[in-house]
Amino acid sequence: MQLVDQITYKTKYFKTVDDLIEKIKKKIVVPYQLEVQPGRINGSKICWMPCSYCYGGSSKNDGQRLDPDRYLDIIDQTNNGPHGNIKKIIYAGYATDPLNYEHIDDLLERSVNFGQVVGIHSKLIKISDRLVRILTSDKVAETSYLTVSVDGGDDKSYNLAHSLTEKVKVYNRVIENIKKLNNVSKNSKNKLDVSANYLVTKVNCSTDEVFKGIENLINAGVDSIRFSFPQLPRGTNSYEGTIIPNQKEVKRIYKNIKPVIDQFKNSKTNVILIDYDADKNISGARTLPCFSRFIYPAISYDGYLSNCSQSAATHFKDMALGNLQNKNFWEAFYDYDEKDIFNFMKNEFKKMIKNDCRCDRKEHTVNQIFKEQIGDRLKIV
């Protein structure tokens, strides 16, 4: 159930707003989780695919990277905090894929050995035998998980969704990698939760594609499958010319594929269809006030500690918490004016608007709580 709660945005990240603010003022707050987004060192491309709906599609590769040993040092620091340790490390990417990073096995092994809960968000185009051993070892903490972005039910729909040519054969490789991991994981002491995400676009939404996609993923052994709809990425303000369905199209597609998904309601695999924006009445690019930096900051591929997973890229540097090339983790995390925290945060919100940062759905969900409870004190003029 923990994994289902997570993929349907029901995770509780903090006790109460007042409790969190009090800890922020005392500089004793510890993040619920840290997201690490390591960028590939070699080559000019920071991800495997040029997905047109990518949140970080407007990101630039400036070549800045943390040294592999420095990355390990930062993970060590997260497990040795002055007011507590970070218990959960997410390996993902805003414009990257963590499994495309040359030293990802080392980072994940360090977190697993510390007993930190690990989460991985990847397209799973490749996974090393060593990483399979690490993720299926008895050292893996309970509730650790891997979420695979699949977004297609066969080669054709997969390639269309990911802006690949017809000749590329990736989909079956992803399915086989899921099977490979699950075949080993099922015999381990703490079975790794494996889920799949299927972002529904205009090019992968036929009932046949959806049905085949579910069957293939269930046969591969995933614990849950979430069907949802992509958000407009930064740098895009119109649905025209994109494969991202607008609100009217979402309603039509939802109605069309829901009967297909309902056919699997008795399956041991949880198959979920959500239109979260409609459910939560989300219409804007971001929800302010934003307290992400204190709950789930992220390390961007260029080595900066950022407010959140969605602002972990080069064009958000003026709102970053610090450069981890020359600052230690906790030094950067606690680098804020605790004596006038509300005015400090207001200035940060102005940067968010200027830089066109955009909330993902977990951030919208959490920030709505702050908007309801303390929004009057933190209005941006």
Side-chain angles (χ1 to χ4, degrees):
M1 184 58 69
Q2 185 271 341
L3 186 60
V4 174
D5 285 349
Q6 174 191 296
I7 65 176
T8 52
Y9 309 104
K10 294 179 181 177
T11 301
K12 182 70 175 176
Y13 293 105
F14 55 91
K15 189 176 179 182
T16 66
V17 168
D18 289 337
D19 178 69
L20 181 66
I21 290 176
E22 189 64 23
K23 288 179 178 177
I24 291 169
K25 289 179 177 179
K26 293 179 178 178
K27 285 196 174 181
I28 60 172
V29 62
V30 176
Y32 172 86
Q33 67 184 40
L34 170 68
E35 184 161 311
V36 180
Q37 302 185 357
R40 185 170 182 81
I41 297 171
N42 298 317
S44 59
K45 296 180 179 179
I46 54 179
C47 195
W48 286 321
M49 299 178 182
C51 307
S52 61
Y53 54 79
C54 176
Y55 285 164
S58 59
S59 298
K60 305 298 181 184
N61 181 10
D62 64 0
Q64 290 191 63
R65 299 289 187 272
L66 287 180
D67 181 84
D69 288 334
R70 179 60 173 167
Y71 254 125
L72 291 172
D73 182 36
I74 295 297
I75 298 301
D76 291 349
Q77 291 174 31
T78 67
N79 196 54
N80 188 28
H83 304 293
N85 302 334
I86 300 179
K87 295 180 171 60
K88 187 174 185 178
I89 307 290
I90 307 299
Y91 291 94
Y94 172 68
T96 62
D97 190 301
L99 299 195
N100 197 30
Y101 174 59
E102 295 92 336
H103 303 280
I104 189 61
D105 297 10
D106 296 332
L107 290 180
L108 275 158
E109 185 171 47
R110 187 63 61 95
S111 291
V112 167
N113 287 340
F114 281 145
Q116 293 170 315
V117 173
V118 297
I120 305 169
H121 296 260
S122 172
K123 287 185 169 57
L124 206 66
I125 294 175
K126 66 178 181 181
I127 183 169
S128 70
D129 290 340
R130 180 189 170 198
L131 187 53
V132 170
R133 290 194 297 270
I134 292 169
L135 294 177
T136 57
S137 75
D138 292 345
K139 294 181 179 179
V140 173
E142 290 186 16
T143 72
S144 293
Y145 68 90
L146 184 147
T147 298
V148 186
S149 296
V150 182
D151 309 339
D154 52 28
D155 275 320
K156 182 180 178 181
S157 59
Y158 186 93
N159 288 354
L160 286 171
H162 296 93
S163 306
L164 300 174
T165 65
E166 291 182 8
K167 295 180 180 179
V168 177
K169 303 295 181 184
V170 177
Y171 177 76
N172 287 335
R173 192 192 316 169
V174 174
I175 297 298
E176 289 304 313
N177 283 337
I178 296 173
K179 290 179 181 178
K180 174 182 177 180
L181 181 60
N182 275 326
N183 285 340
V184 179
S185 178
K186 65 184 178 183
N187 296 318
S188 61
K189 181 180 177 181
N190 296 327
K191 183 182 180 299
L192 186 74
D193 282 319
V194 180
S195 69
N197 282 348
Y198 191 122
L199 284 178
V200 184
T201 67
K202 300 175 189 176
V203 298
N204 63 2
C205 62
S206 76
T207 54
D208 285 345
E209 289 161 348
V210 169
F211 186 86
K212 283 190 292 185
I214 296 172
E215 278 199 324
N216 291 336
L217 289 166
I218 288 177
N219 291 336
V222 299
D223 298 292
S224 62
I225 308 167
R226 183 186 71 190
F227 287 83
S228 60
F229 298 89
Q231 297 169 279
L232 281 174
R234 182 187 184 276
T236 303
N237 294 302
S238 172
Y239 293 95
E240 187 175 349
T242 75
I243 65 171
I244 303 172
N246 59 34
Q247 290 179 335
K248 184 178 179 180
E249 291 166 328
V250 166
K251 289 180 180 179
R252 175 182 57 79
I253 295 170
Y254 187 103
K255 184 178 180 180
N256 193 38
I257 66 175
K258 189 176 187 304
V260 178
I261 290 168
D262 286 346
Q263 291 180 50
F264 297 89
K265 62 184 177 182
N266 295 322
S267 169
K268 66 177 182 179
T269 298
N270 288 291
V271 186
I272 303 160
L273 170 63
I274 57 175
D275 178 7
Y276 194 74
D277 293 352
D279 291 345
K280 296 296 181 181
N281 197 29
I282 295 171
S283 58
R286 71 194 65 81
T287 299
L288 295 175
C290 175
F291 279 76
S292 294
R293 63 173 282 153
F294 303 110
I295 304 169
Y296 30 64
I299 299 175
S300 61
Y301 58 85
D302 57 358
Y304 280 72
L305 184 60
S306 303
N307 282 263
C308 67
S309 61
Q310 300 305 97
S311 60
T314 53
H315 38 254
F316 300 112
K317 281 184 178 176
D318 69 339
M319 53 189 265
L321 283 63
N323 184 353
L324 296 178
Q325 301 277 5
N326 48 46
K327 272 189 176 182
N328 285 334
F329 178 86
W330 295 106
E331 178 188 5
F333 181 72
Y334 290 124
D335 188 11
Y336 59 86
D337 183 3
E338 77 279 16
K339 295 184 177 65
D340 193 8
I341 190 64
F342 285 168
N343 274 332
F344 170 79
M345 293 302 294
K346 282 184 179 181
N347 287 328
E348 294 302 298
F349 303 156
K350 292 176 183 177
K351 295 177 186 177
M352 294 174 188
I353 295 169
K354 175 179 70 72
N355 292 330
D356 190 25
C357 71
R358 303 190 179 192
C359 292
D360 69 9
R361 279 147 185 160
K362 76 176 183 300
E363 288 152 9
H364 275 300
T365 302
V366 170
N367 289 343
Q368 281 177 339
I369 297 172
F370 287 94
K371 184 177 181 178
E372 291 167 2
Q373 296 191 21
I374 61 170
D376 289 342
R377 285 185 277 173
L378 284 168
K379 282 185 177 178
I380 305 302
V381 179

